[in-house]
Amino acid sequence: MKNEELQAIASQLKHPTGEKGIEIANMMHETNINMTRHSIQNLNISSGNSILELGHGNAGHVEFLFEQAENLKYYGLEMSELMFQEARQINRNFVSQKQAFFSVYDGNIIPFDAASFDKIFTVNTIYFWQDPQKLLLEIYRVLKPNGNFCLTFAEESFMKTLPFTQFEFELYSTEKALKLIEKTVFRVVYTESQTEKVKSKTGELVDRAFTTIVLEK
C-alpha cells in the first residue's frame, strides 16, 4: 500500500468520518470486542455505578456493559461526530431510557464535574492522546475517590507490525504506559496482559498481545 493509503487508514482509525468511517468502525468493533470486554470485566462494575468511556467508536459493546449489573448509567465521549451519531443509533433503546448518554468532546477536557464516575475505561485510544499526562489528570479529576480506571491497549510489539501505525499513532508497551502513569497520582491496582488471535486486514489469523492496566483513585 502507498503511504497516502496507509495515512488515510490511520486518520480513519483516529477519527472516523464518512462512508468509510462507518465501515472502519464496524471493523474496529469486531476486532476489538475481546479487548473491550476485558476492559469492562476488569472494572468490577456493581449495581448503580456511573460509568464513563472515552472513544467508544460505534459503541456496539454497550449492551454487554449493561449486562454486568443493574441500574447502571453509561456516558460515552467521542471526538468523531460520526461515531457519536452511530453510537446513539445503535444504542437508541438505552438512550431513550436515559441509561446511555453520548457526547462529542475535544479529546482533552472531559466535560463533567469532579468525582462524577465510579468507573472509567478506554480501549485502544491511548495512541491518539494529544497530551497523555493532562488527559490522565482529567480522568483522575472526574473519577470518584476509590473509583477504578481501566486502560486497555494493544502492545507496541504487535502494533508496529501494522504498516499504518507509523502515522498518527504513539505506540505503547506496558512499561511505557506505566512510566506515564507514574507521573500521576493514580495507584496501579494490577496489570493483565493477554494474547488473542485476530484477523489481519488480509484475512489471516495473527497473535495480538494486549494489556489492561487497572488504576484506582
Side-chain angles (χ1 to χ4, degrees):
M1 270 177 135
K2 292 198 200 72
N3 272 356
E4 299 87 85
E5 293 174 274
L6 295 172
Q7 178 115 43
I9 292 174
S11 292
Q12 281 288 11
L13 290 169
K14 181 180 180 179
H15 197 131
T17 51
E19 288 286 306
K20 192 75 189 152
I22 291 176
E23 212 178 291
I24 288 260
N26 290 335
M27 184 202 74
M28 278 198 285
H29 168 70
E30 281 168 37
T31 317
N32 295 337
I33 191 64
N34 200 29
M35 291 178 70
T36 306
R37 288 180 171 182
H38 191 259
S39 208
I40 290 168
Q41 283 161 337
N42 274 295
L43 285 171
N44 290 323
I45 292 168
S46 47
S47 180
N49 277 177
S50 185
I51 300 153
L52 172 67
E53 180 179 13
L54 304 180
H56 49 69
N58 70 11
H61 52 271
V62 168
E63 192 170 354
F64 175 77
L65 184 137
F66 280 120
E67 288 165 7
Q68 305 306 304
E70 290 177 5
N71 302 323
L72 301 177
K73 289 260 190 286
Y74 167 92
Y75 295 80
L77 288 179
E78 184 51 76
M79 287 168 69
S80 160
E81 176 70 34
L82 177 72
M83 289 304 96
F84 161 71
Q85 302 290 357
E86 277 287 284
R88 278 180 60 85
Q89 169 61 20
I90 288 171
N91 296 288
R92 54 192 178 278
N93 291 348
F94 296 124
V95 171
S96 65
Q97 287 160 18
K98 300 208 171 356
Q99 290 173 285
F101 307 85
F102 294 97
S103 316
V104 177
Y105 83 131
D106 66 359
N108 296 309
I109 304 293
I110 297 176
F112 291 104
D113 292 338
S116 292
F117 301 100
D118 301 286
K119 314 282 181 183
I120 301 178
F121 73 109
T122 191
V123 179
N124 284 343
T125 66
I126 190 171
Y127 327 116
F128 307 123
W129 292 1
Q130 292 151 32
D131 188 336
Q133 215 177 319
K134 218 162 156 188
L135 188 59
L136 281 172
L137 283 173
E138 271 291 275
I139 291 166
Y140 190 87
R141 181 183 68 80
V142 299
L143 197 57
K144 292 179 184 174
N146 304 318
N148 289 113
F149 168 49
C150 277
L151 174 63
T152 302
F153 56 95
E155 287 283 341
E156 180 176 22
S157 53
F158 168 78
M159 292 298 282
K160 46 179 206 230
T161 66
L162 307 173
F164 51 80
T165 58
Q166 60 186 303
F167 304 101
E168 307 210 30
F169 281 73
E170 174 72 39
L171 302 183
Y172 281 84
S173 61
T174 301
E175 296 70 38
K176 182 173 167 182
L178 288 170
K179 273 209 177 71
L180 169 66
I181 291 156
E182 265 170 31
K183 297 175 186 163
T184 71
V185 272
F186 269 116
R187 191 174 72 77
V188 177
V189 182
Y190 64 91
T191 299
E192 191 182 353
S193 297
Q194 279 191 5
T195 302
E196 58 173 345
K197 294 258 185 239
V198 287
K199 242 190 200 157
S200 72
K201 304 285 176 290
T202 49
E204 63 211 328
L205 283 177
V206 291
D207 285 331
R208 169 167 72 178
F210 72 87
T211 298
T212 294
I213 301 175
V214 183
L215 303 173
E216 188 174 275
K217 178 167 176 174

